[in-house]
Amino acid sequence: MQGWNRAIELIEQDLTAEIEVADLARAALTSEYHFRRMFSSLAGLPISEYIRRRRLTAATAEILEGRAVLDVAFRYGYGSAEAFTRAFKAMHGLNPSQARLPGAVLHSQPQLRFHVRVEGNTDMKHRIEDKPAFRLIGLKARVPLVHEGPNHAIIEFQRGLDPAVTARMLELADADPAGPLSVTDNMEEQRTEGSELDYWHAVASTKPAPPGFDSLEVPAGLWVVFETEGKFPEVLQGMWADAATEWFPANPYRWAPGPEMLSVQVEPDRTHGRGQLWIPIEREDLP
């Protein structure tokens, strides 16, 4: 976590300066892709949004001190007073003039600090797979991300699937993970509630995709496979959070680009079951 806190300190050195995410990733001793993805998972907002909110928090203090809106706007990288006022209002619900009135309620973005939480009471079952290239074959839809509870967009998508199409798709499954898969890919950077992603009802296959099916070529590479069982859907949704906050900080791997695959076996009562989460990874460069 020391590297991640160094990255935060780099941001705080000068909130009026241009900030390169690549520099922050180097401070955190990781790649820019991994830094962006892990930051969103750990902080609950994208790095770009965090920087924007920290800048607006500092700018708000200068507005309250009586500094001219145009001067503050230029100082914090806005091209005009109008652009700054729009961003200011989006954060506070007030324009700068209203913010100076007695009793105005404002918002602020505290400086983040990353800590390692040691509990020792969660056994994360996992294994590393070196998997050859394969193909995902199935049907997909663009849906919002839901961290907790049912995702109604996915439920409606699955309800609309033709059983005959699903049966034909399962005939193509000849690679791990076996059986029908729930796959997420092409996710918006922030990974916050409501951000969009591609959701696939698919199988892993080495066969060509027949007409009428979507397909995605997945290159050879390393995967971490988590296993869990318990109450649905909560136990499945918790795997992503556990991976980001517990497994990745403790292991010499980083989240790699690619689809994330979920294989589920549901009990007859539909409220409990078992699941496997496959996440593409790559080895961290050792110092």
Side-chain angles (χ1 to χ4, degrees), residues 70-113:
L70 185 60
D71 291 344
V72 176
F74 287 158
R75 177 170 161 77
Y76 286 91
Y78 290 87
S80 66
E82 290 77 14
F84 174 78
T85 297
R86 285 194 299 272
F88 190 97
K89 192 169 184 178
M91 181 171 178
H92 298 295
L94 305 169
N95 62 38
S97 298
Q98 293 169 327
R100 290 173 173 150
L101 297 176
V105 177
L106 303 173
H107 301 268
S108 64
Q109 172 63 58
Q111 179 180 342
L112 288 177
R113 298 295 297 175

Side-chain angles (χ1 to χ4, degrees), residues 24 37 70 198 212 230:
L24 304 181
R37 198 154 201 177
L70 185 60
D198 287 342

Side-chain angles (χ1 to χ4, degrees), residues 10-150:
L10 278 179
I11 297 171
E12 296 298 320
Q13 283 180 4
D14 187 358
L15 288 168
T16 66
E18 186 70 25
I19 299 171
E20 297 291 341
V21 177
D23 294 336
L24 304 181
R26 279 192 290 272
L29 304 179
T30 189
S31 67
E32 182 176 347
Y33 176 89
H34 183 69
F35 181 83
R36 287 181 180 275
R37 198 154 201 177
M38 286 294 292
F39 188 97
S40 296
S41 296
L42 293 170
L45 74 169
I47 181 62
S48 57
E49 176 67 8
Y50 172 74
I51 293 171
R52 186 186 73 84
R53 292 180 63 85
R54 283 296 298 146
R55 282 175 167 161
L56 280 170
T57 297
T60 299
E62 296 188 17
I63 290 292
L64 297 181
E65 290 170 358
R67 191 161 185 170
V69 172
L70 185 60
D71 291 344
V72 176
F74 287 158
R75 177 170 161 77
Y76 286 91
Y78 290 87
S80 66
E82 290 77 14
F84 174 78
T85 297
R86 285 194 299 272
F88 190 97
K89 192 169 184 178
M91 181 171 178
H92 298 295
L94 305 169
N95 62 38
S97 298
Q98 293 169 327
R100 290 173 173 150
L101 297 176
V105 177
L106 303 173
H107 301 268
S108 64
Q109 172 63 58
Q111 179 180 342
L112 288 177
R113 298 295 297 175
F114 293 99
H115 303 276
V116 174
R117 183 179 65 188
V118 180
E119 292 182 340
N121 60 353
T122 301
D123 179 19
M124 295 191 70
K125 293 183 179 179
H126 74 278
R127 67 180 188 273
I128 304 297
E129 291 274 352
D130 191 354
K131 186 169 172 52
F134 66 100
R135 180 178 297 110
L136 286 171
I137 301 175
L139 300 173
K140 67 177 180 178
R142 194 75 175 159
V143 302
L145 176 64
V146 175
H147 289 297
E148 296 182 1

Side-chain angles (χ1 to χ4, degrees), residues 16 63 79 101 122 156 173 179 190 200 218 220 240-241 259:
T16 66
I63 290 292
L101 297 176
T122 301
E156 288 302 313
Q190 59 265 34
W200 290 70
V218 183
W240 275 272

